[in-house]
Amino acid sequence: MQPQIVLLKEGTDTSQGKPQLISNINACQSIVDAVRTTLGPRGMDKLIVENNGKATISNDGATIMKLLDIVHPAAKTLVDIAKSQDAEVGDGTTSVVLLAGEFLKQLKPFIEEGVHPRIAIKAVRKALNLCVSRINELAFKIEKHDNEKHRALLEKCAATAMNSKLIHQQKDFFSKMVVDAVTTLDVLLPLNMIGIKKIAGGALEESMLIDGVAFKKTFAYAGFEMQPKSYENVKIALLNIELELKAERDNAEVRVDNVAEYQKVVDAEWQILYDKLEKIYKSGAQVVLSKLPIGDVATQYFADRDMFCAGRVQEEDLKRTLKACGGAVMTTVTDIDDKVLGKCAHFEERQVGGERFNIFQGCPNAKTCTMILRGGAEQFLEETERSLHDAIMIVRRTIRNDSVVAGGGAIEMELSKMLRDYSRTIAGKEQLLIGAIAKALEIIPRQLCDNAGFDATNILNKLRQKHAQGCQWYGVDILKEHIADNFEAFVWEPSVIKINALTAACEATCMILSVDETIKSPRSAGGEMPQAPMGRGMGRPF
């Protein structure tokens, strides 16, 4: 009798071998099923309700994945690739999850038959390299020197990104707006210089793009109405100072023996405030913005001197104003001079819907712009913002990487055909595995058809025939329930989306295939919940 060897702490959950791998693949399948139907122009939206009752309606893959609280460790890799795709390119988050899930699904029978996961991984890597080089061959380069052509191309890419979103009816309007927004930025295209503000009410078409910084009027005190509401060539003081009388500390104690002494204390406090205000006035600033509150005395003081002030400005708005107008955020009033004041050509406060907006235009330093979105319900506005974020990211990427491919499943069908042809030229297990990956790539056009309610088998057969004849840009035509040359139809996507999506999906596939054992450590003794004592029901003591 051999004594039993105990390696791991009692309560450790281990599962290993082939069944573990298959169970991981199945877990990934169920995640794919959650986002599968959101792909494409006819994709459905998901309504996700969180614990606190907040409802989110979205068909952005990354948003849905973030909101799903996924605990399965292998399935979490799919959430991570969706997030990475969102951060890197902005669009194609659903595609990336679908591809990874489908690669695993097509390779699952081989694993069950006993093919070693390492061979499968090698085949996936090889297929990926072939696909990336093929995309680079096929991608259409854009001439940047022809501005009109370049702009038209950017608008088409933005429109393609919005095709599958809630706002696809207004895509022409918004794609112009997005391209305007991105083209106003500097060479580095910093995302945080595009502000998006949402105001409920009004029609979507009333949304506008403001060349400069705009933010909602902050909380205002009495005297605010008397301040001028528009200036030309204005100097702006950006502060991080509270301009109001402070309440005493709780435990402060001042002993006075007559009223005159007390009056001196009060006067001194007022004097400090008035000194601060005078220094700001003397600096020549006409607009005073502060992150902290500006009280009613200060508001009145500024109004008397034809100055405008806003307190409690949000940090991100203050930062954008700072970058755009120059100057510096001051935490003291002692040395405010021209060097630390921001400047802009035009400032005004304007009514937009039910809100008043402070608008700075003609900023000399950085290029920045603000989109003011209008629309019905709050959820609708949030989804519009997410859709625009995708489109903005796409336009940024297209400006940086100036090559595009046709969307609508065209590029996937072409890659699938290429892999299938390649697999026939090699021998051994790899032939079958690369064939399986070729089949997996067809999931994108297939899902586009399924979501639109078309006969997927029929359309895929037509597509395979066209691609075999060498029509490489043929993809699904959603409007006519048929196939079409998507390059001619201007369904364009930056090739970097596809390369990124394929790379991320293959990485995730390889990672999941290379895991053959899951070890869950038991919770440490300190971390366990204290046991309720036995008592009357609900664990209450007697």
Side-chain angles (χ1 to χ4, degrees):
M1 288 285 286
Q2 287 291 322
Q4 190 183 5
I5 299 170
V6 178
L7 257 188
L8 298 166
K9 212 170 12 178
E10 197 177 338
T12 307
D13 176 23
T14 65
S15 38
Q16 65 189 87
K18 199 196 295 177
Q20 174 57 33
L21 184 50
I22 300 295
S23 114
N24 283 350
I25 293 178
N26 291 342
C28 294
Q29 284 315 136
S30 54
I31 285 211
V32 173
D33 290 338
V35 293
R36 179 186 291 271
T37 52
T38 65
L39 185 78
R42 295 283 184 274
M44 304 302 234
D45 295 358
K46 304 284 177 209
L47 171 61
I48 300 164
V49 186
E50 292 168 61
N51 291 343
N52 56 8
K54 183 177 185 287
T56 310
I57 298 176
S58 178
N59 85 359
D60 177 37
T63 310
I64 296 168
M65 302 288 265
K66 273 180 211 151
L67 292 174
L68 294 177
D69 198 4
I70 290 164
V71 290
H72 192 286
K76 273 194 180 149
T77 51
L78 291 190
V79 182
D80 292 341
I81 57 168
K83 282 185 185 165
S84 84
Q85 177 80 359
D86 195 36
E88 183 61 29
V89 208
D91 195 24
T93 44
T94 312
S95 315
V96 99
V97 178
L98 264 181
L99 284 168
E102 193 64 17
F103 286 155
L104 288 167
K105 182 178 170 186
Q106 296 294 344
L107 294 171
K108 183 172 144 188
F110 294 99
I111 303 293
E112 283 171 336
E113 293 287 321
V115 173
H116 195 283
R118 278 285 146 211
I119 298 173
I121 289 173
K122 191 174 157 208
V124 171
R125 292 254 157 84
K126 184 150 200 183
L128 171 66
N129 291 338
L130 289 166
C131 286
V132 172
S133 53
R134 180 72 176 141
I135 292 178
N136 288 331
E137 275 172 38
L138 285 173
F140 175 74
K141 278 269 187 287
I142 313 135
E143 292 83 33
K144 278 200 175 164
H145 48 77
D146 185 348
N147 277 346
E148 272 186 18
K149 261 190 186 168
H150 191 224
R151 191 190 155 86
L153 166 101
L154 293 177
E155 280 179 17
K156 282 170 192 127
C157 286
T160 306
M162 285 184 225
N163 253 340
S164 59
K165 305 281 186 250
L166 254 182
I167 52 172
H168 60 91
Q169 268 104 1
Q170 285 85 7
K171 66 180 180 193
D172 295 342
F173 172 75
F174 278 116
S175 55
K176 284 191 178 59
M177 192 157 142
V178 165
V179 175
D180 284 339
V182 179
T183 44
T184 54
L185 297 183
D186 295 334
V187 191
L188 289 170
L189 305 175
L191 243 194
N192 57 358
M193 294 308 272
I194 298 182
I196 297 184
K197 302 286 171 205
K198 308 185 281 281
I199 305 178
L204 265 179
E205 280 82 11
E206 286 173 35
S207 304
M208 54 185 169
L209 180 71
I210 287 172
D211 190 6
V213 184
F215 52 83
K216 223 177 265 185
K217 167 178 163 289
T218 54
F219 180 80
Y221 286 96
F224 183 80
E225 285 73 28
M226 292 145 66
Q227 296 180 346
K229 298 290 186 276
S230 97
Y231 295 98
E232 301 294 325
N233 296 328
V234 52
K235 291 182 179 173
I236 306 159
L238 304 164
L239 308 174
N240 191 0
I241 312 173
E242 201 167 344
L243 294 176
E244 61 182 337
L245 294 175
K246 291 273 182 70
E248 277 83 17
R249 293 274 170 79
D250 298 341
N251 55 0
E253 191 176 310
V254 181
R255 296 196 176 184
V256 290
D257 49 10
N258 59 22
V259 177
E261 294 280 316
Y262 177 66
Q263 189 60 42
K264 275 186 192 164
V265 176
V266 175
D267 288 347
E269 217 181 345
W270 282 91
Q271 198 51 48
I272 293 171
L273 179 62
Y274 276 126
D275 285 349
K276 281 185 186 173
L277 295 177
E278 193 171 354
K279 279 180 180 154
I280 294 172
Y281 170 57
K282 290 257 175 70
S283 70
Q286 291 141 306
V287 174
V288 182
L289 302 179
S290 178
K291 204 166 123 187
L292 299 172
I294 292 179
D296 38 9
V297 180
T299 309
Q300 199 76 50
Y301 181 95
F302 288 139
D304 292 343
R305 284 158 186 73
D306 275 351
M307 292 163 68
F308 175 91
C309 68
R312 299 184 189 170
V313 179
Q314 285 184 355
E315 191 168 3
E316 57 176 272
D317 290 330
L318 204 63
K319 276 187 180 159
R320 279 191 32 243
T321 315
L322 172 72
K323 275 194 179 152
C325 303
V329 175
M330 300 297 287
T331 48
T332 162
V333 289
T334 42
D335 44 2
I336 292 189
D337 55 16
D338 257 12
K339 288 199 289 291
V340 297
L341 293 181
K343 295 176 183 56
C344 81
H346 182 66
F347 165 82
E348 69 167 326
E349 182 176 298
R350 199 192 303 170
Q351 185 83 17
V352 181
E355 305 283 355
R356 293 186 74 76
F357 262 71
N358 299 338
I359 298 170
F360 298 85
Q361 285 172 311
C363 307
N365 279 28
K367 312 277 198 319
T368 173
C369 58
T370 307
M371 290 181 168
I372 296 182
L373 303 181
R374 308 296 308 277
E378 194 180 324
Q379 280 100 339
F380 188 78
L381 276 173
E382 281 177 10
E383 178 61 8
T384 307
E385 182 183 8
R386 279 191 287 270
S387 315
L388 286 181
H389 170 261
D390 281 13
I392 287 169
M393 292 290 281
I394 289 299
V395 175
R396 281 179 68 211
R397 283 283 157 219
T398 318
I399 290 177
R400 293 236 184 106
N401 311 54
D402 48 353
S403 62
V404 291
V405 292
I411 186 79
E412 283 84 5
M413 288 304 291
E414 184 57 28
L415 294 176
S416 173
K417 164 190 168 269
M418 182 266 307
L419 285 180
R420 208 175 277 115
D421 292 350
Y422 172 77
S423 72
R424 296 194 182 115
T425 62
I426 53 174
K429 293 177 192 162
E430 262 194 5
Q431 176 181 14
L432 296 170
L433 291 166
I434 288 183
I437 294 164
K439 189 174 175 199
L441 283 168
E442 290 181 354
I443 183 65
I444 301 283
R446 179 180 294 273
Q447 197 60 50
L448 285 173
C449 296
D450 285 348
N451 289 353
F454 303 160
D455 179 352
T457 317
N458 183 13
I459 287 185
L460 278 177
N461 280 338
K462 288 181 189 166
L463 279 177
R464 285 192 201 108
Q465 177 205 4
K466 279 287 183 201
H467 281 266
Q469 290 166 358
C471 308
Q472 57 197 26
W473 292 130
Y474 264 75
V476 182
D477 183 351
I478 295 287
L479 302 173
K480 300 200 180 95
E481 192 170 341
H482 197 61
I483 58 174
D485 187 329
N486 278 352
F487 205 80
E488 297 288 314
F490 300 127
V491 182
W492 291 355
E493 301 190 70
S495 54
V496 66
I497 293 189
K498 293 298 173 200
I499 292 177
N500 211 56
L502 282 166
T503 314
C506 289
E507 290 297 325
T509 309
C510 295
M511 199 159 97
I512 290 166
L513 286 176
S514 59
V515 172
D516 75 333
E517 180 168 8
T518 306
I519 304 168
K520 255 195 189 158
S521 299
R523 291 173 60 178
S524 59
E528 281 184 12
M529 295 288 289
Q531 285 292 313
M534 289 293 291
R536 291 180 306 124
M538 304 289 291
R540 278 181 294 219
F542 287 107

